[in-house]
Amino acid sequence: MTAMTEIRPFDPPIPFTRPTLDEATIASVGDVLRSGWITSGPKVQEFESELSGFFGGRPVRTFANGTSTMEVALRIAGIGSGDEVITTPISWVATSNVILTVGATPVFVDIDPITHNIDLNQVEAAIGPNTKAIMPVYLAGLPVDMVQLYDIASRHKLRVIEDAAQALGSSWNGSRIGAIGDLISFSFQANKNLTTIEGGCLVCNNDEEARLAEKLRLQGVTRTGLDGMDVDVLGGKFNLTDVNAAIGLQQLSKLGDFQDQRVKLAQRYFDGFAKTKVVEQGLELPVADFAHSNWHMFQIVLPLDRLDTDRAGIMADLKALGIGTGLHYPPIHLFSLYRERGFTEGMFPIAERIGRSIITLPLFPTLTESDVDRIVAAVAHVLETHLK
Ligand SMILES: *Cc1c(COP(=O)(O)O)cnc(C)c1O
């Protein structure tokens, strides 16, 4: 399939992801703009109620973005100065930035080389007297072992704040991520499986947490009656608008179709790569976990030690063929802000290798199976030309 297939560049080029927004969605935004109420209002309430149904009836509150959702989750869990939170170095930097924002300390644990998620087998060794919570990330939509996660948390009396930003629609042994667990944070940023342009939501345990979430997202304000108002906690300005919520309602009604398409395309990638030599040549494919993943991304790990170029070289060659790729993610502990806090190269070797070698291939609902076939052929061809 490699040398024989003619490699025809995509023209126009395809991005690694693209939102699916239809005319009904655009019309629903127009309706909100014409309604006279454009910030948080009836659409936000309707969206929260639909999301609550999606998560088995648990209380859900929306926020301006996934980052503020996670910050509020940490505050609800009472995490602040002097506390430690165990997390993964392979995530969007927001995950550990919010730990710093609330005044706590991120404690990184290396990742599993196969799933690319935090290695739960190494978590207990990182727990100390100041550990208050574990913050796992479900990279590309693949959850961690939820039984093992909550077993560790309950034995050590830790809160769990799940960074499920990428895992809307993922599940664990038949239960939806968000329908089980402690505090679960999602993002609706433009690249996510469901987008509100920017946005996020938190699944809470009870109404008391949901009320605190409401206060924390709007200056700590509680209103009573027609004219009563008090502020008893320091909150931020993290509310979602009705414009965003209207988009979210449309997206939620199509999420099942989006995911069916993602599953079909992910399967096509596996079928396509199986007909090539890339795996023998050292390319690592994602875990083919069709029981749990929502296929937020399809990520491959390059065999850099067998190539005569680096990752940027491979990305440039794919770009020349009209194929956009993504980089999710460079290891957080090696960013300057984190090096200043004492983290250095060599501390988390698996995260460092994956962070150097991983790329995200295009996967979004309007991609076609024939697009995937062409991408597979292009990846195989580019690898072949760079093998030492
Ligand atoms: C997108 C994302 C976030 C942050 O979400 P925003 O809505 O961009 O603030 C956090 N963690 C992970 C893993 C993400 O992918």
Side-chain angles (χ1 to χ4, degrees):
M1 183 159 180
T2 54
M4 310 289 290
T5 313
E6 190 207 345
I7 308 294
R8 196 162 40 91
F10 282 90
D11 184 23
I14 45 166
F16 82 85
T17 191
R18 172 183 280 155
T20 309
L21 298 164
D22 61 7
E23 290 304 320
T25 306
I26 293 166
S28 75
V29 169
D31 291 345
V32 173
L33 295 179
R34 281 185 286 266
S35 75
W37 192 275
I38 55 176
T39 185
S40 309
K43 285 292 166 194
V44 164
Q45 277 191 5
E46 191 184 337
F47 187 37
E48 287 178 344
S49 153
E50 292 286 317
L51 287 167
S52 176
F54 184 81
F55 296 118
R58 294 182 62 173
V60 178
R61 293 299 179 271
T62 55
F63 297 87
N65 51 64
T67 306
S68 53
T69 306
M70 293 191 294
E71 182 183 328
V72 167
L74 287 166
R75 292 194 193 280
I76 289 173
I79 289 157
S81 174
D83 297 334
E84 292 180 357
V85 179
I86 293 175
T87 191
T88 168
I90 295 291
S91 180
W92 175 229
V93 67
T95 311
S96 60
N97 278 356
V98 293
I99 297 171
L100 295 177
T101 300
V102 301
T105 303
V107 173
F108 295 113
V109 165
D110 209 350
I111 60 167
D112 179 292
I114 307 296
T115 65
H116 307 154
N117 285 327
I118 190 169
D119 183 352
L120 290 177
N121 296 323
Q122 296 190 46
V123 164
E124 290 197 90
I127 297 174
N130 298 323
T131 309
K132 289 285 153 52
I134 310 173
M135 210 166 167
V137 174
Y138 307 147
L139 194 70
L142 181 69
V144 298
D145 181 327
M146 302 296 276
V147 174
Q148 192 181 359
L149 170 67
Y150 279 94
D151 175 58
I152 296 168
S154 75
R155 277 190 290 108
H156 295 272
K157 299 191 167 46
L158 302 176
R159 295 298 300 261
V160 178
I161 291 115
E162 300 180 32
D163 180 355
Q166 304 184 359
L168 190 75
S170 301
S171 60
W172 178 258
N173 291 351
S175 301
R176 208 164 245 165
I177 294 301
I180 51 171
D182 188 354
L183 288 165
I184 307 96
S185 172
F186 294 90
S187 165
F188 305 138
Q189 184 264 343
N191 292 346
K192 302 304 199 290
N193 286 24
L194 179 158
T195 185
T196 60
I197 306 177
E198 300 286 356
C201 79
L202 182 67
V203 182
C204 301
N205 289 289
N206 50 52
D207 291 337
E208 197 188 329
E209 284 182 353
R211 272 194 300 275
L212 182 53
E214 286 176 17
K215 286 201 271 188
L216 291 172
R217 77 179 167 190
L218 222 145
Q219 314 292 2
V221 164
T222 312
R223 292 178 188 277
T224 42
L226 283 178
D227 62 352
M229 176 167 143
D230 189 27
V231 176
D232 63 351
V233 63
L234 180 59
K237 181 68 165 75
F238 302 142
N239 55 304
L240 191 76
T241 79
D242 266 21
V243 175
N244 303 98
I247 298 171
L249 281 162
Q250 292 287 329
Q251 290 266 297
L252 190 57
S253 72
K254 289 156 195 131
L255 187 68
D257 294 340
F258 292 166
Q259 188 158 322
D260 290 348
Q261 188 63 15
R262 286 176 176 277
V263 165
K264 200 163 89 179
L265 296 169
Q267 188 61 61
R268 191 80 174 191
Y269 268 116
F270 285 110
D271 293 346
F273 279 125
K275 294 179 200 141
T276 71
K277 294 203 190 78
V278 292
V279 172
E280 284 161 58
Q281 291 164 346
L283 188 82
E284 295 168 40
L285 298 178
V287 191
D289 190 342
F290 285 87
H292 299 129
S293 180
N294 65 357
W295 294 102
H296 173 57
M297 298 191 284
F298 195 96
Q299 299 184 288
I300 57 175
V301 178
L302 300 170
L304 289 182
D305 50 352
R306 299 200 210 177
L307 303 180
D308 65 9
T309 185
D310 55 10
R311 173 172 57 189
I314 300 290
M315 291 170 89
D317 282 7
L318 289 171
K319 188 172 180 213
L321 292 170
I323 298 167
T325 52
L327 202 185
H328 308 95
Y329 294 95
I332 295 171
H333 68 285
L334 298 181
F335 290 138
S336 303
L337 180 70
Y338 289 85
R339 285 181 187 265
E340 280 167 18
R341 307 181 76 88
F343 294 105
T344 57
E345 196 113 29
M347 281 184 163
F348 309 106
I350 299 171
E352 289 165 21
R353 180 181 75 84
I354 299 299
R356 255 194 319 272
S357 325
I358 199 163
I359 60 174
T360 304
L361 296 180
L363 181 59
F364 49 89
T366 51
L367 195 72
T368 68
E369 288 183 303
S370 85
D371 291 335
V372 171
D373 294 345
R374 288 174 61 192
I375 296 163
V376 166
V379 169
H381 170 76
V382 167
L383 265 192
E384 189 90 35
T385 58
H386 286 290
L387 279 176
K388 283 196 280 210

